Amino acid sequence: MSRSIVIAAALCLAWAGGAAGDDFQGSPVAEIVFSPPAQPVPAARLEQLLEVKTGAPLDAHALRRSIQAIFATGRYADVQVDAVRAPGGGVRLTFITVENWFTGQVTVTGAQPPPSQVQLIAATRLNLGEPYTQEKGEAGRQAMLRLLAENGFYNATVRWDTYANSDTQQLDIDYQVEPGRRAHFGEITLSGEPDLSAEEVRGLTGWSVGNTITQPAVQRGLEKLYRHYRKNDRLQAVARITGKKFVPSANRVDVALEINPGPRVEVALSGASLSSKQLRRYVPIFEEGTVDNDLLAEGARNLRDHFQVDGYFDAKIDYNQNPEENGVVLAEFQATLGSRHQLVRLDISGNHFFDRATIRERMYLRVKSVSFRRGRFSHGLLASDVSAIEELYHANGFLGVKVHTRLDDDYEGHVGDMALFIEIEEGPQTLIAELRLTGNTTISTESLTAQLNSVAGQSYSETNVASDRSLILGRYFQEGFPDAAFEWRVAPGPGPNAVILDYTIQEGRRQFVQAVITGGYNRTQDATVRREIYVYPSEPLSQAAILDSQRRLYDLGIFSQVNTAVQNPEGDEVSRNVLLQMEEARRWTVGVGGGAEIGRFGGSSTDLTSPAGNTGFSPRVSFELTRLNLLGRAYTGSLRTQFSTLQKRGLATFQAPRWRGRERLTLTFSSLYDTSRNINTFSARRLEGALQLQHKINKPSTFFYRYSYRRVSVSDVHITPSLVPRLTQAVRVGLLSVTYVQDRRDDPLDARRGIYNTVDLGLAAKQTGSEASFPRTVLQNSTYHRLTKRVVLARTTQAGAMVPYGNLREVRTTATDGSTLLTFTRDVPLPEKFFSGGASAHRGFSINQAGPRDLTTGFPLGGNALFLNSVELRFPVRGENVGGVLFHDFGNVFARLQDVSFRLHQRKEDLTDFNYMVHALGFGVRYRTPIGPVRLDLAYALNPPRFRGFQGTTDELLHGLGTSTQQRLSHFQFHFSLGQTF
């Protein structure tokens, strides 16, 4: 800008004097041209910026302003004007311009972390879309060299190349790093008042001779030194590096380290008892590593609140810091606890506008309960709750609200009992008589006021005004007004407790999108990227649309970084280029995991004595391989395997999110091989291929359309030999299904309110390629109700049915003598039946032990109908993380739909009767974690089934040997798992 002003001023002086050559002042402008002819600013916009016009007399001041206007666009590094006499008279003006270049993609090659590529790029401070100069590029190179040196690369060299795109004025910068050898730690020189030798420092920090020097290694070493001193109560210790000397001949770095241990700090508490661990937690000097009055005062407040919460409501804490003596600084806290109390009553009165529950949910004070043995009270919490109540009323127009509190000690004659009475004096509510909106010319008043909180007839508060300000400015920013401003004032209204609000909007100049420039991706197809971008040329420049496009690109899962910017941010332009620069994520990821299962699933493959299973332990190993961005279309392929004593599984999937460009459609192909023995009755093998289309209707509602084709077979069957041919034949099943899921839970991992519904309808038939024909229906309804802030009543009901139909299918088996046995059946294949019981189903049973059982061996056979109902009362036990559950589960699996019965008991002496509801009561403990609660459930089945079992081996069963026994499932069951039951 300064250069342009100088040039224009020189022209004005020349024209004014006339002695230096022709005087162009006042001469008609014959022609205006630009050199080069192609300009980054559209011709129509340039014509608007020029105050000098063809045919008009030339004015030096107008020419100067024209140069300034062109330069202010930010598109030019230099603007000059050449004026000559035109052949036919007048003056010919040539605007000679030099374009600016703007930072595009910055890449780094050849680096060896640390530092990482991201750290090196950040060190350059070359921001996307900002003007680029050679000086900035060199400054970025020097910053890289400094960062490399801090990480041991003292012999590194860095050079850079630029790649220009004249169409967009973007300049991509590629830095090539040749790091050389990383230096290692050398000698350590100590200064200050060290109490450690150099070798002791090496042992503590890990700065051993020969270890490579990096920035993280240096930082870790200093942190270990500080931990050493803090562990020894030297909180004021100082350890800092005062110098590093690189010795090229040895490729080592000698470190100069200053150490001042400082005095030992002791913290003493009198008048009360706390463990040293608790003192360290409440007194922040240990965390901050220093001692001052502010931290001691904060520690005193923390100790006071601790004792008040523990029932000493009148607790007071004084403190003082004794001068250093014999190398020790003593920080002493004196506690005056007083008598112990418990908060037995909290009464709120005077509240008419808000109900008691609305006010209580904003308060921290608690009356004594199971979770708070003496209640939760402190004067600090009381003051905080009073402020919260006042803010609630202020936000709803009660500007003069007053909150009065009264504490009654020894309430109703009970020593130590305390009652708190809160009286709210609401006062009148201030209402808005009129809202005046001015300055909005682009967006209509009706459109704006439809979103506002402060309109005529509503309560007045500054909180609502602040919310309106955000809404209005957000709307203007979305419509391309980045400089929009908002002002407001309030005036008395026509009546008492009424006001008039004036909102004044300064729209500023509207900006539009000139072009959308993308880059940084090589393997991804351009169409895949473009369909996720909701910013279009000639439309208003909307920050909301830019952020939404960035979010959508991230949601593809194929980019590790998506940077957005507006090119030439400081320029004075109406139309701007929007930049989206992406960095593709690693395409291959590998995951390995392990775990174990504990439950009643153990047992022998040959011994039939325990059909209900024994306590077993099953280690589990998993492996996952994922390939992102297949075909450059954001498709994902994955292979997941799992191996344990219970299950061996391999699953290959191909997923196409946003199928055919539709955000709400996801197409998935999968193939599965699975062998499992999680049901004691048999080992199952499944080979399956499936196609699924997921259609997300809205946030809570999703449809799944699925076709699966599988071959299922069983082996190691523990049932009556006569049933083996009919139930163990391999069967092909083609199942066409549709599933509807409605999820309105507030937290899927640990819901406290909402509903969860599923409807699963399927059909296996000859027309779908299935040998077995049956419709399949599974319904589930779950609800969650908050009884108090932390007590939740949750319930779920699940029902399912399968009804075999159609012609009998042939089942051919080979007898022991080599002959072929031919039988006919239309039964649902054994692995397709319903099995239930376990941690996530009916907790009155161990894993998959519900329902009909084989009449000879007692092993479960599954069924064609299912009913389960569970009710849980979830409540806190200790703090925020430990909770408890009381639950009641009832239900069962039934052989046929018509066998479903709500009877409470098994028929006496009828060991073939399983058509009744098994009820179980229990208690569970939940420990909250970031991935869901870890839970332990203990259940007592009130009426577990009795059945006929078998004592012996499979060989004895085949040869008619062994002993028939009467057995019963255990009344007690335990379950350990992750996540809520439902």
Side-chain angles (χ1 to χ4, degrees), residues 900-915:
V900 175
S901 171
F902 285 84
R903 284 189 292 113
L904 296 180
H905 298 287
Q906 191 176 22
R907 293 190 179 93
K908 287 186 178 182
E909 306 305 325
D910 186 354
L911 302 184
T912 66
D913 175 30
F914 304 104
N915 298 330

Side-chain angles (χ1 to χ4, degrees), residues 130-169:
E130 291 186 352
Y132 172 83
T133 62
Q134 191 78 2
E135 291 77 11
K136 289 184 178 181
E138 175 60 22
R141 188 183 77 89
Q142 294 296 333
M144 278 191 179
L145 287 172
R146 289 192 294 271
L147 182 59
L148 288 166
E150 289 177 3
N151 285 274
F153 295 114
Y154 284 84
N155 295 316
T157 59
V158 178
R159 63 184 181 86
W160 85 96
D161 295 320
T162 57
Y163 304 92
N165 186 334
S166 58
D167 292 336
T168 61
Q169 291 184 260

Side-chain angles (χ1 to χ4, degrees), residues 713-729:
S713 60
V714 297
S715 59
D716 300 327
V717 185
H718 296 165
I719 58 176
T720 304
S722 61
L723 296 178
V724 171
R726 180 163 60 87
L727 297 179
T728 61
Q729 184 75 14

Side-chain angles (χ1 to χ4, degrees), residues 190-494:
L190 300 180
S191 61
E193 300 179 359
D195 60 340
L196 300 170
S197 67
E199 289 305 314
E200 288 174 322
V201 169
R202 289 188 191 277
L204 283 171
T205 59
W207 299 345
S208 302
V209 175
N211 286 357
T212 55
I213 185 169
T214 64
Q215 198 175 39
V218 171
Q219 189 61 36
R220 285 196 302 269
L222 290 174
E223 289 173 357
K224 289 177 180 178
L225 270 180
Y226 277 111
R227 282 201 298 268
H228 164 76
Y229 283 114
R230 289 176 185 176
K231 184 178 180 181
N232 292 278
D233 294 331
R234 296 188 181 273
L235 305 183
Q236 295 177 315
V238 175
R240 63 188 183 92
I241 293 176
T242 57
K244 295 178 186 176
K245 181 180 179 182
F246 176 59
V247 183
S249 59
N251 193 35
R252 76 167 192 259
V253 177
D254 295 337
V255 178
L257 180 66
E258 179 185 350
I259 296 179
N260 292 295
R264 191 162 56 86
V265 178
E266 292 183 357
V267 177
L269 174 65
S270 60
S273 177
L274 276 182
S275 68
S276 59
K277 182 178 180 181
Q278 288 176 305
L279 269 178
R280 286 178 175 271
R281 185 174 68 183
Y282 290 125
V283 182
I285 61 175
F286 296 98
E287 182 179 352
E288 298 296 333
T290 186
V291 181
D292 59 41
N293 282 332
D294 290 339
L295 294 177
L296 293 176
E298 184 180 348
R301 290 193 298 271
N302 293 341
L303 290 170
R304 181 201 64 189
D305 290 343
H306 165 77
F307 288 115
Q308 288 183 343
V309 169
D310 200 35
Y312 297 99
F313 296 162
D314 299 322
K316 296 180 180 179
I317 308 293
D318 296 318
Y319 67 92
N320 64 281
Q321 178 183 346
N322 298 323
E324 181 181 345
E325 184 176 346
N326 298 324
V328 176
V329 172
L330 178 63
E332 188 175 11
F333 294 89
Q334 301 89 29
T336 305
L337 299 183
S339 57
R340 205 170 193 179
H341 298 77
Q342 56 185 3
L343 187 62
V344 299
R345 182 177 178 183
L346 197 163
D347 186 74
I348 300 174
S349 61
N351 54 303
H352 305 292
F353 192 81
F354 295 107
D355 59 25
R356 191 171 184 269
T358 302
I359 296 173
R360 284 300 304 272
E361 69 181 6
R362 288 162 171 79
M363 298 177 63
Y364 285 99
L365 298 179
R366 292 289 182 269
V367 177
K368 74 168 188 174
S369 62
V370 175
S371 302
F372 302 95
R373 191 162 54 92
R374 292 187 171 274
R376 183 165 66 183
F377 176 87
S378 73
H379 292 286
L381 291 178
L382 177 58
S384 175
D385 286 353
V386 168
S387 296
I389 295 172
E390 290 175 344
E391 289 175 6
L392 174 65
Y393 274 93
H394 288 160
N396 287 272
F398 294 91
L399 307 183
V401 64
K402 296 180 181 179
V403 179
H404 308 283
T405 62
R406 177 171 58 88
L407 282 170
D408 278 4
D409 202 358
D410 297 338
Y411 180 64
E412 294 184 344
H414 298 286
V415 177
D417 284 1
M418 181 179 286
L420 172 63
F421 297 91
I422 298 177
E423 183 180 357
I424 301 172
E425 187 179 336
E426 294 181 338
Q429 185 179 27
T430 302
L431 300 178
I432 299 170
E434 183 182 359
L435 172 65
R436 299 170 181 168
L437 199 60
T438 57
N440 55 308
T441 58
T442 306
I443 304 176
S444 68
T445 300
E446 293 76 12
S447 177
L448 288 175
T449 55
Q451 302 175 347
L452 301 182
N453 298 305
S454 301
V455 295
Q458 297 298 316
S459 59
Y460 162 75
S461 73
E462 292 189 6
T463 302
N464 289 339
V465 172
S467 176
D468 290 347
R469 179 184 182 276
S470 298
L471 287 169
I472 290 173
L473 292 181
R475 177 71 182 278
Y476 270 93
F477 294 159
Q478 186 175 351
E479 295 292 335
F481 294 91
D483 300 323
F486 173 90
E487 294 180 356
W488 69 280
R489 66 183 184 88
V490 61

Side-chain angles (χ1 to χ4, degrees), residues 731-860:
V731 181
R732 295 190 303 274
V733 177
L735 186 66
L736 186 65
S737 62
V738 57
T739 303
Y740 171 72
V741 177
Q742 182 187 51
D743 189 353
R744 295 184 181 274
R745 295 173 294 180
D746 60 338
D747 181 2
L749 294 178
D750 189 7
R752 294 175 180 269
R753 61 174 178 268
I755 61 173
Y756 180 77
N757 295 316
T758 63
V759 178
D760 184 13
L761 305 175
L763 176 65
K766 181 179 179 180
Q767 291 77 6
T768 63
S770 181
E771 291 182 315
S773 299
F774 57 91
R776 185 180 187 274
T777 301
V778 179
L779 311 174
Q780 180 179 348
N781 168 252
S782 304
T783 58
Y784 307 85
H785 306 277
R786 293 181 66 170
L787 303 182
T788 67
K789 185 176 182 179
R790 299 183 63 196
V791 177
V792 176
L793 179 66
R795 53 149 299 278
T796 186
T797 302
Q798 185 177 3
M802 293 182 287
V803 181
Y805 73 97
N807 298 326
L808 297 172
R809 66 179 185 275
E810 292 184 358
V811 178
R812 295 178 182 271
T813 56
T814 302
T816 55
D817 59 0
S819 61
T820 300
L821 301 177
L822 180 63
T823 56
F824 297 88
T825 183
R826 63 164 59 96
D827 283 350
V828 174
L830 193 58
E832 299 289 329
K833 290 180 177 290
F834 291 122
F835 287 87
S836 185
S840 298
H842 196 313
R843 284 162 287 188
F845 295 96
S846 56
I847 298 174
N848 293 321
Q849 287 287 322
R853 313 184 81 85
D854 181 67
L855 301 182
T856 301
T857 65
F859 281 81

Side-chain angles (χ1 to χ4, degrees), residues 871-921:
V871 179
E872 289 189 348
L873 184 66
R874 303 172 182 174
F875 52 88
V877 172
R878 185 178 180 84
E880 297 291 333
N881 294 327
V882 181
V885 168
L886 295 175
F887 63 83
H888 171 221
D889 294 350
F890 78 90
N892 212 336
V893 173
F894 303 89
R896 301 174 302 169
L897 180 60
Q898 53 266 41
D899 293 333
V900 175
S901 171
F902 285 84
R903 284 189 292 113
L904 296 180
H905 298 287
Q906 191 176 22
R907 293 190 179 93
K908 287 186 178 182
E909 306 305 325
D910 186 354
L911 302 184
T912 66
D913 175 30
F914 304 104
N915 298 330
Y916 73 103
M917 294 292 173
V918 176
H919 290 253
L921 300 175

